[in-house]
Amino acid sequence: MTQFDLPLDQLRTYRSSQSLPDDFDAFWQTTLEESRSLGAPPRLIAVDSPIRIADVYDVTYSGFGGQPIRAWLKVPRGLDRPAPVIVQYIGYGGGRGRPIESLHWLAGGAAVLVMDTRGQGGTGSVGETPDVDGASAQAPGYMTRGILSPETYYYRRVITDAVRAIDAVADIDLLDADRIVAAGTSQGGGLALAASALSPQIRGVVALVPFLCDFPRAIRITDNAPYSEIVRYLSVHRESVEAVLSTLRYFDGVNFASRGQVPLLASAALMDATCPPSTVFGAVNAWQGRSSVNVWPFNTHEGGGPDDHERALAFIHELLD
């Protein structure tokens, strides 16, 4: 792979062509109010685990429509007060995995809640939360499930789940509701951007090589999945271009970024054809709060790997210590 996108100096000033729906805020306010009205307190079950540095809990909380969402909660042992917490969202296709995964966040001394992604978990890491809502015809994958309307689109449910995960950790006595960070890579980064724009309880956000950003550009400059799922769908449903693009406006990281106020750490890889760097900068450059970007000139979608994570921990320490 080569550097195929805009030069770095142009990326730093790039502005997405994405537009904001007039009812964007009302749409999300109504969606979240409806789901909160149907919710129940989170349920924790202690789990036997060989992890000696943390207590592990199997969590079930209420997501979109009050539907049960699974998560792992790992709380460092030996703390004498409620723990700061990182809410982690998972990359495309993966679920919450096993408790032994995602231990690098514990190294920073914070608790970690790992959200299961509804309907996913068949690749990469296992998941246990179904997506119970039906949908119309779709291309293989999740990107076009219910895409003809914002009300039926798959990511309406997933983003609501992501925000309700923040609500859940704020209700758990073991955790400090005043020290919450949203974090994720790829799809997880896109969900972290969305949750941080919709939840006033988040102190900061880590979005590494984020997905779900700048749809108008992404579907035109890369052939890579998952964006290519939308292209395949539109190549058959030619009459639905306007409806699809209209729906995506409600779920674009660029539009969530226009509501983002807390500190943001992002990363972009200049050879990344899965989440092209211009789509990442489209969101970052729309962010309303303080932001910084780790730029990796010779990496693809793996981004900075452990170097991204090390910088993320330093960023989280700055926010929470």
Side-chain angles (χ1 to χ4, degrees), residues 171-235:
D171 282 343
I172 297 174
D173 292 340
L174 295 167
L175 308 175
D176 187 343
D178 293 324
R179 294 193 292 167
I180 302 172
V181 171
T185 300
S186 192
Q187 175 185 256
L191 294 177
L193 291 173
S196 62
L198 295 172
S199 174
Q201 294 178 289
I202 293 175
R203 287 275 297 274
V205 55
V206 175
L208 305 179
V209 290
F211 180 47
L212 305 173
C213 295
D214 199 355
F215 286 109
R217 182 167 176 83
I219 63 175
R220 289 176 171 88
I221 68 167
T222 181
D223 294 326
N224 279 27
Y227 287 120
S228 62
E229 293 175 24
I230 300 172
V231 175
R232 289 202 306 273
Y233 179 87
L234 292 177
S235 72

Side-chain angles (χ1 to χ4, degrees), residues 97-142:
R98 309 294 188 194
I100 197 68
E101 299 178 63
S102 304
L103 295 184
H104 61 283
W105 294 123
L106 283 173
V112 185
L113 182 114
V114 184
M115 185 188 89
D116 211 14
T117 310
R118 62 167 61 224
Q120 299 188 32
T123 59
S125 53
V126 299
E128 299 178 83
T129 302
D131 182 27
V132 300
D133 290 80
S136 59
Q138 66 185 70
Y142 311 98

Side-chain angles (χ1 to χ4, degrees), residues 42-63:
R43 185 175 73 251
L44 280 66
I45 299 174
V47 174
D48 289 333
S49 167
I51 301 171
R52 295 185 176 182
I53 61 173
D55 295 316
V56 179
Y57 301 88
D58 188 346
V59 177
T60 302
Y61 71 92
S62 299

Side-chain angles (χ1 to χ4, degrees), residues 3-85:
Q3 292 184 7
F4 64 96
D5 207 340
L6 299 173
L8 183 57
D9 59 337
Q10 293 181 33
L11 289 172
R12 295 195 185 280
T13 60
Y14 167 73
R15 292 288 175 174
S16 170
S17 64
Q18 183 60 279
S19 59
L20 185 75
D22 292 339
D23 63 342
F24 181 84
D25 295 322
F27 172 82
W28 282 109
Q29 181 179 351
T30 300
T31 296
L32 293 171
E33 286 177 352
E34 290 176 351
S35 290
R36 284 174 174 139
S37 72
L38 298 169
R43 185 175 73 251
L44 280 66
I45 299 174
V47 174
D48 289 333
S49 167
I51 301 171
R52 295 185 176 182
I53 61 173
D55 295 316
V56 179
Y57 301 88
D58 188 346
V59 177
T60 302
Y61 71 92
S62 299
F64 176 84
Q67 296 161 2
I69 307 297
R70 304 288 293 277
W72 291 121
L73 174 62
K74 290 166 272 192
V75 182
R77 291 178 178 169
L79 298 182
D80 57 3
R81 59 177 177 147
V85 58

